[in-house]
Amino acid sequence: MSVAVVAGGGIAGILSALLLSESERFKKIILIEKNDVLGGLLNSSVTEEGYSFDCGTHLLGETGILELDELLLKDVMNDWKLISPLKVSTYFNGTIQHEGPCIDARLIDEPLYYKGVVELLNSKPVEEGRIDNLADQLVMEYGQTFADELFARTIKKLFNTTADQLIPGAHELFVPRRIKILAEHISAELKGSPYLDSKIAFHQIVDQRRSYYPHSGGIGQWISILEDRLRRNGIEVILNDHIRQVVHENGKVRAVRTSTEEIALDQLVWSIPPGILYKMVKQDGTVKMPKIRKVKLFHFVFDAPFNCDCAYLNNYDQTFSSFRITFYANMNSEHNGYRCTVEVLFSDDHCDIRAETIVDELKRMQVLKDLSNLLYCKTEELPTGFPLLTKQYVNELNEQVSYINQNFNNVLMVGKSNGSGFFLNDVLINTYHSVKELG
Ligand SMILES: Cc1cc2nc3c(=O)[nH]c(=O)nc-3n(C[C@H](O)[C@H](O)[C@H](O)COP(=O)(O)OP(=O)(O)OC[C@H]3O[C@@H](n4cnc5c(N)ncnc54)[C@H](O)[C@@H]3O)c2cc1C
């Protein structure tokens, strides 16, 4: 009997197990998750008072792959709230804007702004591979002024390091690459040039992709639906355990050892950090754990509606601690207070920013009415977060992934940890193609 073991029960592991169960190839599929619930960064909690909050990703969006959308969304498309267009606001240099996630260069002081526009319009395309780090990329692509005034401080806030320490493109983990400049009709015209189009944003950005969110409760309901499907498809789900060792010979992983048993296998799907497997299979495999920007979540309930109708607000302003704010009250129809979650990034062992500071920031951004009262507050620090995309981290990750790929022909790596994509749809699409290729 052929057996597939899937390590990690986040969405990449869940999707892998579902896809494997639909092919005839494996008679038995076992999913192993170290926590007591599946879902990883797609989870929700409900408080005693009945307030629900998510802990990572919030919305489900169509991937554009029919079979995948049918598999993942068929149970939610009709029952959940359709959110289209998706409204995103920004806060930068003391100003809130409601027209999409891009930074508006017109918010910096005038002489600098015009200097920046001239530099940007005079910049030249750079040959791929010629740029070594993000600082150089930003100067070459946007000019020194916008690199300093728009990106440098935002990057310091979000990564807690300088752009020269990061790989090119690292900022796109948090900040869109396009910026708003000039009058709307002029920038629309400039976007006729493919080179400028890659840097200049439309002023009104309307995300027309179809996204879904439950009418009440949180995104964790999706995981419950999928978990049900896993069990109906006969997949064995092991919770609260993890792989401690692997048994391997002749270019194959033959078995995994958990704390209670040894499971023989024909195929291993690995959706957790490659470094864990690398350390197990490589004799001298020392692995430095990647630096992570950790996330503290502030879950709030207020007694009055917010002053905005967006689903998200991205706060790029370096004088604020808050980064992304999710307004559940604008995404579903629950009527027990006005809920939001504020994400704060930090690097130390512990984040000592207090809830009062964040409530004050919401008021300063004017998303909260002055007379709003806080009804409920809960904070949590996530056990994971955003990778600090330094050159060293990416080199080490690539080395681990290629070592495993070169030495084992029955291990498939999927998920956000292997560096092939961080965001939900990238993870779903990459996982779909990789597992399908197994046949
Ligand atoms: C704060 C935050 C907000 C985000 N917001 C968005 C967003 O708005 N939009 C978006 O598209 N993406 C967002 N993302 C990214 C998105 O959450 C990921 O793309 C997606 O969750 C990745 O799924 P995954 O299965 O690869 O990883 P994970 O969700 O991390 O799942 C990995 C699973 O493996 C388990 N595991 C780990 N080690 C072991 C082990 N040794 N043995 C067994 N199990 C193990 C973990 O417990 C976890 O359940 C966000 C990420 C973060 C951190």
Side-chain angles (χ1 to χ4, degrees):
M1 181 161 85
S2 57
V3 176
V5 167
V6 180
I11 190 59
I14 294 174
L15 174 60
S16 302
L18 284 173
L19 290 169
L20 291 172
S21 72
E22 292 191 347
S23 87
E24 298 289 297
R25 199 167 148 197
F26 300 100
K27 295 282 172 276
K28 187 167 185 186
I29 296 152
I30 302 168
L31 175 65
I32 303 174
E33 163 59 44
K34 73 170 182 190
N35 286 335
D36 55 2
V37 287
L38 294 178
L41 283 161
L42 282 149
N43 254 306
S44 312
S45 58
V46 181
T47 69
E48 280 176 15
E49 297 79 0
Y51 302 128
S52 66
F53 299 102
D54 302 330
C55 81
T57 304
H58 305 277
L59 288 169
L60 284 188
E62 289 176 3
T63 63
I65 299 177
L66 267 181
E67 187 192 356
L68 186 54
D69 290 340
E70 168 74 12
L71 176 71
L72 296 177
L73 300 177
K74 71 174 173 214
D75 291 326
V76 308
M77 274 176 165
N78 296 327
D79 296 341
W80 286 22
K81 186 167 172 187
L82 171 66
I83 300 189
S84 180
L86 175 63
K87 292 188 182 170
V88 180
S89 301
T90 56
Y91 190 83
F92 179 68
N93 259 14
T95 305
I96 190 163
Q97 293 185 321
H98 299 290
E99 295 86 19
C102 297
I103 294 181
D104 191 336
R106 295 167 302 171
L107 294 174
I108 62 174
D109 290 344
E110 264 201 1
L112 282 174
Y113 165 66
Y114 286 115
K115 188 167 177 243
V117 170
V118 172
E119 288 171 3
L120 183 139
L121 295 179
N122 282 317
S123 67
K124 299 269 177 302
V126 187
E127 244 175 70
E128 223 176 285
R130 273 201 50 219
I131 312 174
D132 178 63
N133 63 62
L134 178 58
D136 289 351
Q137 179 194 11
L138 294 172
V139 173
M140 286 187 204
E141 291 196 354
Y142 301 88
Q144 188 72 54
T145 305
F146 284 165
D148 291 345
E149 300 297 321
L150 302 183
F151 289 105
R153 273 168 279 172
T154 307
I155 284 162
K156 180 81 177 104
K157 166 182 174 166
L158 299 173
F159 287 99
N160 194 32
T161 188
T162 47
D164 59 343
Q165 300 300 310
L166 300 169
I167 57 162
H171 60 310
E172 291 177 52
L173 201 55
F174 300 114
V175 191
R177 67 180 303 182
R178 292 186 172 91
I179 57 173
K180 291 185 204 166
I181 58 166
L182 299 168
E184 192 165 2
H185 66 283
I186 300 177
S187 58
E189 205 158 300
L190 290 173
K191 281 174 73 61
S193 139
Y195 173 62
L196 290 177
D197 176 50
S198 67
K199 297 189 286 191
I200 299 176
F202 283 116
H203 285 203
Q204 303 278 338
I205 297 166
V206 183
D207 189 339
Q208 295 290 7
R209 280 171 303 177
R210 295 157 70 87
S211 302
Y212 299 90
Y213 197 73
H215 284 287
S216 65
I219 191 71
Q221 290 172 51
W222 187 46
I223 298 303
S224 308
I225 292 171
L226 296 179
E227 188 170 358
D228 227 41
R229 188 114 39 93
L230 288 172
R231 296 190 198 275
R232 269 191 277 128
N233 285 13
I235 294 156
E236 185 183 338
V237 177
I238 299 176
L239 296 174
N240 278 320
D241 207 346
H242 64 276
I243 296 165
R244 288 163 187 266
Q245 246 182 313
V246 296
V247 181
H248 60 98
E249 58 171 5
N250 301 333
K252 280 194 190 302
V253 172
R254 303 284 178 191
V256 293
R257 289 194 185 123
T258 68
S259 50
T260 51
E261 59 184 323
E262 180 168 310
I263 305 169
L265 59 86
D266 302 281
Q267 177 70 47
L268 179 60
V269 178
W270 195 262
S271 77
I272 60 185
I276 298 177
L277 182 57
Y278 181 79
K279 205 170 166 184
M280 290 175 190
V281 294
K282 193 158 188 280
Q283 298 281 310
D284 58 344
T286 49
V287 176
K288 283 198 212 103
M289 288 319 282
K291 284 194 185 142
I292 294 284
R293 274 300 263 167
K294 295 184 219 161
V295 185
K296 180 167 179 174
L297 303 177
F298 293 80
H299 303 301
F300 294 124
V301 184
F302 294 97
D303 66 351
F306 299 107
N307 269 337
C308 56
D309 65 351
C310 54
Y312 296 120
L313 183 148
N314 291 342
N315 186 344
Y316 303 123
D317 197 307
Q318 73 279 3
T319 61
F320 285 64
S321 300
S322 43
F323 170 47
R324 185 174 67 167
I325 304 153
T326 304
F327 298 97
Y328 305 98
N330 296 338
M331 301 196 315
N332 73 12
S333 336
E334 258 179 44
H335 292 300
N336 56 345
Y338 298 88
R339 289 168 297 130
C340 69
T341 291
V342 181
E343 292 167 19
V344 172
L345 306 176
F346 68 103
S347 296
D348 306 328
D349 286 345
H350 174 67
C351 172
D352 53 13
I353 291 164
R354 295 163 59 85
E356 299 81 57
T357 308
I358 303 300
V359 172
D360 183 55
E361 290 191 359
L362 294 174
K363 288 195 170 154
R364 281 163 56 208
M365 280 183 261
Q366 296 184 349
V367 293
L368 200 60
K369 296 190 168 96
D370 275 343
L371 293 176
S372 291
N373 293 305
L374 183 62
L375 298 178
Y376 179 87
C377 165
K378 182 177 95 162
T379 62
E380 62 177 309
E381 287 180 14
L382 295 182
T384 174
F386 296 93
L388 200 58
L389 295 170
T390 60
K391 223 170 161 184
Q392 186 192 353
Y393 164 73
V394 173
N395 287 343
E396 282 175 7
L397 183 63
N398 288 343
E399 189 189 318
Q400 293 159 10
V401 170
S402 52
Y403 180 85
I404 294 163
N405 283 337
Q406 279 162 19
N407 288 282
F408 300 99
N409 61 16
N410 68 336
V411 178
L412 178 70
M413 274 174 290
V414 296
K416 73 171 193 328
S417 313
N418 73 17
S420 62
F422 183 82
F423 291 102
L424 179 59
N425 274 13
D426 298 328
V427 166
L428 294 176
I429 292 169
N430 291 342
T431 303
Y432 172 81
H433 288 304
S434 304
V435 178
K436 280 280 172 185
E437 264 176 36
L438 281 180

